[in-house]
Amino acid sequence: MADSFELVIIGGGPGGYNCAIRAGQLGMKVACVEMGPTLGGTCLNVGCIPSKALLHSSEMFEAAGSHMAGLGIKTKGVELDLPTMMAAKDETVDGLTKGIAFLFKKNKVTHITGRGKITGAGTVEVTDNDGATTTLSAKHIVIATGSEVTPCPGVEIDEKRIVSSTGALALTQVPKSMVVIGAGVIGLELGSVWRRLGAKVSVVEFLPRILPGADGELAKQATRIFKKQGFEFHLSTKVTAVKKQKSSLKLILEPAAGGEPTTMETDIVLVAIGRKPVTANLGLAAAGVTLDARGFIETDHWKTKAANIWAIGDCTTGPMLAHKAEEEAVACAETIAGGPGHVNYGVIPGVVYTAPEIAWVGQTEEELTAAGIPFKKGSFPFAANSRARANHQTDGFVKVLAHAKTDEVLGVHMLGAQVSEMIGAAALAMEFRAASEDIARTCHAHPTLSEALRQAAMGIEGWTMQM
Ligand code: FAD
Ligand code: NAD
């Protein structure tokens, strides 16, 4: 007899675990099948959390070594202890993945370890590490299998010298030099970690700019700042091959539009050209689940084309972000339970955890212009914000975009210290469909960095008060 559940979820990342917990809270009998040794998926094990742990400690290291002197704090003999830095990161990951296991128990979610596959209507077969199989029966199945690294043609990842983000989170020594392929989020975040710890970091990007999804003005200013920090950018360039030599790696580069090849030598290559959905060996085609042209599972309000089979998170279209997966997880569980699940895809913030940080929510200037939406713009530099001046962190600005006629906030874009923590207020305002005047007339504490958001909103009607 198969173990029987109301809901079986395949994948225990932010999509899967949040869906399982919410379904448990709603009283469903739910199982979550995860093939990895721990819960938490990419995010907790090899993504958001370990990268943010290393970003934090490497920022502290760089501050202790150079920035603190300007604040009158003399440091002597600051040394890197990489094994301890890595151990601190691992301890965080371990604690958080165990936290999910605790939440599963608390919400009566059955955690099943093994590889799940849909083998028939309402049937999931689970194969454990020893090859033993169990069959689960389920009224509903949610696919939350996430994403994996997109390979770069001509570049073979070995996770030692040619690494993906996973290898870059676990290097055992600081390389003298690192070439990052792709100036996206991973390239800039993990490039920042190793640059701060002492590597010479060069970034090769196919497009003529960094961070293709971000507002152009934001990306332009960020590029200038990253160059000052020591990043070297090779834009409009592609890598056609990486050859392993005895003590170095040789990259063959070409202009993106074609042309004469050039070469470059480095110790470590980090491949960060995007991620692709995990959909193989899941029995999807036989079950009637369809994929779009880019290989993502097609859904309509998280429902696939097959009855009672749902899909959420990175394996479906939309931004590949943990909080997007989490939103879909909750909405999907609530819909299965008969409720009105809802995700506001227009208000999903994006953050790049570099220093300064980059954060945005809503539409960019380029998107509004392309859509022919009339908008007004207000912006405010952190150089004119008293808290940023007190902290000696004056790089960057906040920009608010609002509809020219209705004044509804359509996008907020930020570059600066701690803007990852400020973007939530902008998202909240947009969720409530605030006008820029609502932000401009909300009392903000002084002196805070968030006053820059208010001042940028005041700029829409031209009453920003410069220092
Ligand atoms: P995943 O987290 O990928 O989880 C899918 C799970 O399914 C995995 O555990 C996998 O083992 C399991 N699985 C797959 N197939 C099967 C199967 N057949 N049977 C059983 N289990 C299976 N996002 C942010 O929002 N903020 C960040 O700061 C951030 N930083 C990142 C840093 C890095 C280096 C990387 C790589 C990603 C980062 N992301 C970040 C993206 C974020 O990790 C993903 O968007 C998020 O994890 C997606 O959640 P998910 O549940 O859809 O998939
Ligand atoms: P990305 O899509 O952010 O960036 C990939 C970059 O590589 C792009 O700029 C692209 O133009 C470039 N590129 C593509 N092919 C290339 C080639 N052949 N040569 C040179 N450049 C090439 O992808 P990523 O940085 O790998 O991150 C993957 C996913 O993980 C993203 O979707 C991101 O949302 C998620 N992530 C999020 C965070 C965060 O939220 N802070 C952090 C890390 C990762």
Side-chain angles (χ1 to χ4, degrees):
M1 260 279 286
D3 278 344
S4 152
F5 295 90
E6 209 167 338
L7 173 61
V8 168
I9 299 163
I10 307 178
Y17 77 72
N18 281 293
C19 190
I21 292 168
R22 188 72 190 113
Q25 288 172 346
L26 293 167
M28 280 184 242
K29 187 180 177 204
V30 50
C32 182
V33 182
E34 169 55 57
M35 66 185 185
T38 52
L39 292 164
T42 303
C43 173
L44 264 64
N45 293 287
V46 289
C48 324
I49 300 304
S51 61
K52 265 78 261 179
L54 290 184
L55 277 156
H56 177 72
S57 36
S58 62
E59 196 176 350
M60 297 292 103
F61 175 70
E62 190 173 47
S66 48
H67 306 336
M68 283 184 180
L71 299 176
I73 304 165
K74 284 191 183 170
T75 50
K76 245 193 235 145
V78 174
E79 265 182 66
L80 176 65
D81 174 358
L82 190 60
T84 302
M85 194 179 274
M86 290 291 175
K89 169 207 66 166
D90 294 340
E91 188 194 321
T92 304
V93 168
D94 186 51
L96 288 173
T97 54
K98 284 185 180 138
I100 308 288
F102 166 79
L103 286 172
F104 270 19
K105 279 203 186 91
K106 189 176 163 204
N107 292 287
K108 300 190 174 58
V109 175
T110 305
H111 172 194
I112 298 171
T113 301
R115 182 183 286 269
K117 180 177 180 174
I118 302 171
T119 47
T123 311
V124 174
E125 186 183 84
V126 182
T127 307
D128 70 15
N129 283 342
D130 302 324
T133 59
T134 327
T135 303
L136 311 176
S137 83
K139 190 164 171 207
H140 295 274
I141 298 168
V142 171
I143 306 162
T145 46
S147 63
E148 60 193 0
V149 176
T150 301
C152 185
V155 188
E156 204 180 311
I157 293 173
D158 61 17
E159 296 297 11
K160 288 197 166 64
R161 294 164 73 194
I162 305 178
V163 296
S164 71
S165 51
T166 302
L169 288 166
L171 296 179
T172 50
Q173 58 185 42
V174 181
K176 279 203 180 66
S177 59
M178 171 182 268
V179 172
V180 180
I181 311 180
V185 196
I186 291 180
L188 295 171
E189 288 188 353
L190 294 181
S192 291
V193 166
W194 293 106
R195 184 199 58 71
R196 291 167 188 166
L197 298 182
K200 165 80 195 142
V201 177
S202 310
V203 184
V204 181
E205 165 62 48
F206 187 80
L207 295 174
R209 55 165 289 177
I210 68 166
L211 291 174
D215 186 89
E217 192 184 358
L218 214 64
K220 215 171 176 177
Q221 240 195 73
T223 307
R224 266 204 302 271
I225 295 168
F226 295 148
K227 275 186 185 165
K228 263 201 240 155
Q229 294 175 348
F231 269 104
E232 189 180 285
F233 289 104
H234 301 263
L235 303 178
S236 304
T237 305
K238 63 183 173 194
V239 174
T240 55
V242 177
K243 292 183 183 155
K244 281 187 183 171
Q245 306 182 134
K246 204 168 167 204
S247 60
S248 70
L249 299 167
K250 186 172 175 182
L251 289 97
I252 319 289
L253 312 173
E254 261 180 34
E260 278 304 297
T262 51
T263 60
M264 212 167 149
E265 295 212 4
T266 189
D267 294 335
I268 296 282
V269 167
L270 162 58
V271 179
I273 62 164
R275 294 178 61 84
K276 60 185 179 103
V278 171
T279 55
N281 305 318
L282 282 167
L284 298 187
V289 175
T290 54
L291 306 182
D292 69 14
R294 295 171 57 222
F296 290 91
I297 297 175
E298 285 185 307
T299 55
D300 177 6
H301 289 80
W302 323 291
K303 275 194 191 93
T304 69
K305 293 269 163 65
N308 296 338
I309 302 183
W310 310 69
I312 54 173
D314 277 13
C315 63
T316 65
T317 48
M320 287 178 153
L321 296 172
H323 43 281
K324 177 262 193 184
E326 179 182 348
E327 284 300 292
E328 293 185 333
V330 169
C332 183
E334 290 179 350
T335 306
I336 291 171
H342 173 71
V343 175
N344 183 353
Y345 287 98
V347 186
I348 294 178
V351 174
V352 189
Y353 296 82
T354 43
E357 293 181 333
I358 302 167
W360 67 88
V361 59
Q363 289 166 279
T364 63
E365 279 199 55
E366 292 81 3
E367 285 165 347
L368 292 172
T369 306
I373 299 169
F375 65 94
K376 285 191 186 175
K377 162 174 151 180
S379 60
F380 193 79
F382 280 108
N385 171 279
S386 48
R387 185 69 182 278
R389 295 275 285 255
N391 293 353
H392 283 235
Q393 290 180 315
T394 51
D395 277 336
F397 66 103
V398 175
K399 175 164 79 175
V400 175
L401 307 173
H403 196 284
K405 291 207 177 79
T406 65
D407 195 33
E408 179 172 352
V409 178
L410 301 175
V412 177
H413 305 273
M414 302 175 170
L415 171 71
Q418 297 177 48
V419 295
S420 60
E421 298 297 342
M422 282 168 59
I423 201 67
L428 192 61
M430 286 182 67
E431 189 64 40
F432 282 89
R433 303 196 64 178
S436 79
E437 190 181 356
D438 292 321
I439 300 177
R441 293 193 183 276
T442 297
C443 182
H444 285 64
H446 176 77
T448 58
L449 298 172
S450 9
E451 285 176 288
L453 171 62
R454 182 184 182 202
Q455 291 285 341
M458 286 155 69
I460 300 259
E461 291 300 325
W463 58 292
T464 291
M465 295 171 187
Q466 293 278 357
M467 255 183 27

